[in-house]
Amino acid sequence: MADTFDHAPQVWNAVQLREALKDLPDDTPIHIGVAEDPGDFGGYRESVLVDAHHVENWWPANGTTPERAEKEKALTLFADWTPGEYDLLD
């Protein structure tokens, strides 16, 4: 059996995000560093924010029975690679 660990990052809420953005000029691009492994930002890949959607997540996510009525309202930020020139993938 493989060793496992529970990764429980502090997920930011809207108040924390507003506080972090409060002093930025309106035209400041938002970059997102995506961890290479859980909690490992030493080798993160930088991405840019390209969209955001209000979402409702329903459980269970896989659609198995019995259905539960649990839901979570959230804002999902979508990131893409930073602008630049990249090799075409086959």
Side-chain angles (χ1 to χ4, degrees), residues 66-81:
E67 288 291 331
R68 299 186 319 200
E70 296 177 44
K71 65 181 179 178
E72 168 192 59
K73 292 186 178 184
L75 178 68
T76 297
L77 303 177
F78 293 91
D80 199 346
W81 288 41

Side-chain angles (χ1 to χ4, degrees), residues 47-83:
S47 300
V48 292
L49 181 64
V50 295
D51 203 355
H53 291 278
H54 292 275
V55 296
E56 286 187 356
N57 296 316
W58 291 82
W59 285 272
N62 61 8
T64 60
T65 57
E67 288 291 331
R68 299 186 319 200
E70 296 177 44
K71 65 181 179 178
E72 168 192 59
K73 292 186 178 184
L75 178 68
T76 297
L77 303 177
F78 293 91
D80 199 346
W81 288 41
T82 58

